[in-house]
């Protein structure tokens, strides 16, 4: 058997050229104009992904942001992602969207555009009397508008002691309901 010695320079050149050719073939750079059409899409590995049209309303965004806080503890006088009182929760959620609402539940008595309960939409605010006094003392945000059976998210100081979703048809809230307020007016 005859043994030939391989020239290391020729071998390295051959390997190097092969890698370069394979690179251009793989990425299509040898075949002329490979630019993708201009648009607002995203390019992932030379594949154009067109953006999906989403029509998420501000109301849906407010409710979505609020529901991310479900389970956060009730903390009297608090307004941070670590804990909330009822008005602190409403204030925090609306502040995230740079919408001014009162920080204290008692200030909701003369705040916003009052609307009939049958007309509530997601993101409207429900105002309640305090469970212990005949003054406004609780607020929440409508998550599922169904008139007098609407669901709302709020920081509960009841037995749950956390951010929860409750139905307005629950007796304790039906009895204490004062008004619905629209602060988004769309």
């Amino acid at each position: 058997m005859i043994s030939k010695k391989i020239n290391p320079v020729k071998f390295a050149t051959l390997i190097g050229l092969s890698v370069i050719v394979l690179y251009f073939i793989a990425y299509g750079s040898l075949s002329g104009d490979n630019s993708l059409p201009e648009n607002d899409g995203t390019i992932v590995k030379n594949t154009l992904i067109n953006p999906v049209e989403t029509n998420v309303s501000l109301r849906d965004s407010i409710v979505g942001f609020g529901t991310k806080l479900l389970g956060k503890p009730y903390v009297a006088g608090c307004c941070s992602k670590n804990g909330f009182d009822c008005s602190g929760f409403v204030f925090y959620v609306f502040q995230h969207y740079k919408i001014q609402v009162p920080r204290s539940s008692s200030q909701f008595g003369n705040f916003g555009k009052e609307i009939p309960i049958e007309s509530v939409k997601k993101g409207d605010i429900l105002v309640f009397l305090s469970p212990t006094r005949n003054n406004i003392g609780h607020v929440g945000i409508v998550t599922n508008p169904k008139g007098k059976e609407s669901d709302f998210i709020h920081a509960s100081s009841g037995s749950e002691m956390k951010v929860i979703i409750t139905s307005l048809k629950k007796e304790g809230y039906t009895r204490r309901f004062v008004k619905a307020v629209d602060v988004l007016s769309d």
Side-chain angles (χ1 to χ4, degrees):
M1 180 167 188
I2 301 174
S3 167
K4 277 189 165 181
K5 260 190 160 177
I6 298 177
N7 182 334
V9 173
K10 286 183 180 179
F11 181 73
T13 304
L14 180 64
I15 296 297
L17 285 174
S18 299
V19 168
I20 291 170
V21 168
L22 288 173
Y23 172 82
F24 282 113
I25 291 171
Y27 291 97
S29 296
L30 293 175
S31 61
D33 181 20
N34 291 319
S35 62
L36 293 171
E38 283 190 36
N39 71 27
D40 294 332
T42 302
I43 298 173
V44 178
K45 292 192 176 188
N46 281 351
T47 303
L48 179 66
I49 300 174
N50 289 317
V52 176
E53 285 293 321
T54 57
N55 189 12
V56 177
S57 74
L58 176 58
R59 291 177 179 279
D60 288 328
S61 296
I62 287 169
V63 169
F65 182 72
T67 58
K68 289 179 184 174
L69 301 169
L70 282 168
K72 294 290 182 179
Y74 178 90
V75 179
C78 199
C79 179
S80 79
K81 64 182 176 183
N82 298 321
F84 304 96
D85 63 12
C86 67
S87 59
F89 172 74
V90 170
F91 180 84
Y92 185 86
V93 170
F94 279 87
Q95 188 69 32
H96 181 77
Y97 294 95
K98 299 182 180 17
I99 299 168
Q100 296 299 313
V101 299
R103 171 57 186 91
S104 171
S105 58
S106 64
Q107 295 172 328
F108 278 91
N110 296 315
F111 177 79
K113 175 185 167 193
E114 186 172 348
I115 55 173
I117 190 62
E118 295 78 22
S119 301
V120 294
K121 297 177 186 173
K122 281 184 179 181
D124 287 337
I125 297 172
L126 300 182
V127 180
F128 301 91
L129 293 174
S130 164
T132 58
R133 300 180 316 277
N134 196 27
N135 299 342
I136 291 176
H138 192 67
V139 290
I141 302 169
V142 175
T143 57
N144 185 13
K146 297 182 286 185
K148 292 180 181 178
E149 295 185 353
S150 295
D151 297 327
F152 62 102
I153 188 168
H154 60 119
S156 173
S157 62
S159 60
E160 299 90 351
M161 294 294 290
K162 62 184 175 182
V163 175
I164 60 171
I165 295 176
T166 304
S167 174
L168 182 55
K169 67 183 178 181
K170 187 173 177 182
E171 183 190 342
Y173 291 101
T174 304
R175 182 176 37 82
R176 294 172 31 218
F177 176 72
V178 174
K179 68 178 182 174
V181 177
D182 178 3
V183 295
L184 301 173
S185 297
D186 47 43

